[in-house]
Amino acid sequence: MATKRLDIVILGATGFTGQFAVREAARLSRSYNFTWGIAGRRQDALEAVLKKYAPNSVNIPIMIADLRDQESLKNMAISTKVIANCCGPYRFYGEVVIKACLAAKTHHVDVSGEPQFMERMQLEYNKAAQEAGIYIISACGFDSIPCDLGIVCTQKNFEGEINTIETYLNSWNTSNANGASLHYGTWESAIYGMAHSNELRQIRTKLLHKNLPTLEPRLSDRGIIHKSEISNGWSVIFPGTDRSIAKRTQRFMYEKYKQRPMQIQTYITFPSLFHVVLIAAFYGIFLILLKSEFGRNLLLKYPEIFSGGCASHEGPSEERMEDTHFSITFKATGWKEKLTELSDKHVDAPNKELITKVTGKNAGYGLTCTCLLLAGLTILRESDKMPDAGGVLTSGAAFLNTSLMEELKKNGMTFEIISSSEK
């Protein structure tokens, strides 16, 4: 008799993010009643993780899976319904896991923030995932569920038609906890992703071959730095993956549901001009060093120096993580009237504005693991509400009609409407 599949297996459970995913699985399983296991290369290290991060959990299966051994990955994949993949950088280690999931017909969620990897997986494996009846969903952490689902929720509450949406990310600490805010793995992924950003043009030429409709009026260019009435401080364009993810979601909704897409820009806000200048200086050095192998090696070898103390091999302390809070404020502008035909254009200027906000804490590793595991559970429990019976999708496209946002609200993330106005 075949062994019953587990609901979720955490791959890379001994890594920095994986350890906190183990802790979160132990917590969530008490409320959501699901079966789970862990996987990695070394039995003793996996046992140690369970002992430290899930001491009250019993009979948690341990699987030996090596990213260099496709057979071990396939054996792991056939033992579970969903793999929660915490092994990055995904440009190096993600594809082999996805191949194993396709062979075993196992769903795959991860916390990648690497556009090249995500968009190439969609280009090369979307059809195969649909045929296998599985979902492959990346960026199921702070990159980029709060922003992408926040935009989707804003659309649902707008009661009209949105033309533009601007997002403002704020992050702050409530005590004097010091130290790094990023683990080396996150830093490493950012370096390789940005160093190879030129790959995106070729991928997108093939993936996004259909043009979206021209949208008017155009989203205003706010320049290099600006002050916004909805975000206290000075704001600059956010260089993360939120915008690229959100745009892919909008494209999907246009092509699948014939919904008018929005123009999107994402910003990050700093409390003072001094912070902006300091970050800009480090970012400038970062970009210069990215251009050569020698420079990239320096960035990888000395993360604390070249990140201004933001990243380290040890990563943030638990005190630092629990002390870190975030908000993303969404400013949606459009019309209170919704056009009947997609080809029609509004003749009047935008006459409606909606401000919403998502908030939470411990975004980088705590909330990220909550999002990751709840995304996997949502696939298992609400696949009938998800599109196409499979595919390589963004979180917004995949979970548009599910209860994922409501479940996140029960677990530390809020979504609220701040104001709504009409002209």
Side-chain angles (χ1 to χ4, degrees):
M1 182 180 291
T3 303
K4 185 177 180 180
R5 286 188 170 196
L6 296 170
D7 291 323
I8 295 176
V9 165
I10 300 167
L11 176 60
T14 59
F16 191 81
T17 302
Q19 292 175 355
F20 291 105
V22 170
R23 174 183 288 178
E24 193 63 2
R27 184 186 74 85
L28 289 172
S29 63
R30 294 193 292 269
S31 302
Y32 291 86
N33 191 28
F34 62 93
T35 58
W36 61 283
I38 63 174
R41 289 182 298 168
R42 293 171 42 228
Q43 179 84 20
D44 58 342
L46 292 165
E47 290 174 352
V49 165
L50 282 179
K51 185 176 181 179
K52 180 177 181 180
Y53 290 93
N56 297 319
S57 298
V58 296
N59 299 323
I60 303 300
I62 293 176
M63 303 169 199
I64 303 303
D66 191 326
L67 295 170
R68 298 165 296 183
D69 182 351
Q70 193 69 36
E71 191 64 24
S72 74
L73 294 177
K74 184 177 178 181
N75 290 336
M76 173 195 60
I78 62 177
S79 70
T80 186
K81 300 171 186 175
V82 178
I83 288 178
N85 185 2
C86 298
C87 295
Y90 293 90
R91 68 178 292 112
F92 299 134
Y93 308 123
E95 187 172 3
V96 291
V97 182
I98 285 176
K99 286 181 177 179
C101 287
L102 288 166
K105 296 187 177 180
T106 297
H107 304 292
H108 177 279
V109 292
D110 65 47
V111 291
S112 172
E114 305 165 40
Q116 300 97 317
F117 166 75
M118 293 185 283
E119 295 182 32
R120 186 170 70 82
M121 293 303 98
Q122 181 181 347
L123 177 65
E124 297 184 10
Y125 295 107
N126 183 58
K127 184 177 180 181
Q130 289 176 337
E131 291 172 351
I134 66 169
Y135 290 101
I136 297 170
I137 308 170
S138 288
C140 289
F142 183 64
D143 281 340
S144 289
I145 279 183
C147 184
D148 202 18
L149 288 190
I151 289 174
V152 168
C153 286
T154 301
Q155 284 179 288
K156 288 182 177 181
N157 285 278
F158 192 81
E159 297 180 352
E161 203 155 60
I162 298 176
N163 181 50
T164 64
I165 192 160
E166 296 168 292
T167 76
Y168 289 85
L169 170 63
N170 279 270
S171 180
W172 65 94
N173 297 323
T174 54
S175 70
N176 295 320
N178 295 316
S181 56
L182 298 176
H183 182 258
Y184 177 79
T186 306
W187 175 254
E188 183 185 20
S189 294
I191 289 169
Y192 284 116
M194 295 184 70
H196 297 276
S197 60
N198 60 310
E199 297 172 1
L200 275 171
R201 178 174 294 181
Q202 184 177 4
I203 294 170
R204 287 174 175 170
T205 298
K206 297 176 181 178
L207 182 63
L208 312 176
H209 54 278
K210 294 181 181 179
N211 291 328
L212 293 176
T214 301
L215 303 176
E216 295 178 349
R218 302 299 297 168
L219 179 61
S220 299
D221 181 2
R222 297 193 177 275
I224 297 175
I225 180 172
H226 71 279
K227 271 197 163 186
S228 170
E229 70 277 7
I230 65 167
S231 186
N232 294 326
W234 296 86
S235 301
V236 298
I237 289 177
F238 180 52
T241 58
D242 284 354
R243 184 169 183 257
S244 66
I245 294 287
K247 289 179 69 176
R248 285 172 59 207
T249 297
Q250 291 301 306
R251 175 175 288 273
F252 178 88
M253 293 166 69
Y254 169 74
E255 294 177 348
K256 178 73 176 178
Y257 304 116
K258 306 304 178 186
Q259 180 173 308
R260 186 186 193 272
M262 299 179 297
Q263 301 170 77
I264 299 168
Q265 188 54 274
T266 57
Y267 299 100
I268 182 170
T269 301
F270 298 99
S272 68
L273 276 174
F274 173 77
H275 284 84
V276 175
V277 172
L278 188 64
I279 294 294
F282 276 101
Y283 190 58
I285 294 170
F286 182 87
L287 292 178
I288 291 170
L289 293 175
L290 275 181
K291 295 180 180 179
S292 68
E293 184 176 355
F294 174 76
R296 291 192 292 273
N297 288 335
L298 283 177
L299 291 171
L300 292 167
K301 190 173 182 179
Y302 304 108
E304 289 182 88
I305 293 174
F306 292 108
S307 69
C310 290
S312 73
H313 285 92
E314 296 77 20
S317 66
E318 291 200 44
E319 181 185 7
R320 172 78 174 184
M321 289 188 287
E322 287 298 319
D323 179 51
T324 302
H325 298 251
F326 80 92
S327 70
I328 304 177
T329 306
F330 305 83
K331 179 182 178 181
T333 305
W335 298 272
K336 54 188 176 183
E337 309 88 2
K338 195 167 186 177
L339 297 176
T340 305
E341 298 295 331
L342 195 61
S343 58
D344 293 343
K345 291 189 176 183
H346 290 272
V347 294
D348 298 324
N351 54 24
K352 184 173 182 177
E353 179 180 282
L354 178 67
I355 309 295
T356 62
K357 182 183 285 189
V358 165
T359 57
K361 72 172 186 175
N362 192 358
Y365 303 99
L367 180 67
T368 280
C369 295
T370 305
C371 291
L372 175 69
L373 294 169
L374 287 178
L377 287 176
T378 302
I379 294 173
L380 295 180
R381 300 181 178 193
E382 300 184 46
S383 60
D384 59 319
K385 299 177 183 177
M386 295 170 64
D388 297 339
V392 181
L393 302 174
T394 63
S395 56
F399 302 121
L400 169 68
N401 296 313
T402 70
S403 66
L404 178 55
M405 180 59 88
E406 294 305 313
E407 296 305 319
L408 288 168
K409 290 178 186 177
K410 298 175 185 177
N411 288 277
M413 196 169 87
T414 68
F415 175 83
E416 58 183 323
I417 295 173
I418 303 300
S419 66
S420 179
S421 61
E422 297 180 2
K423 295 179 182 178

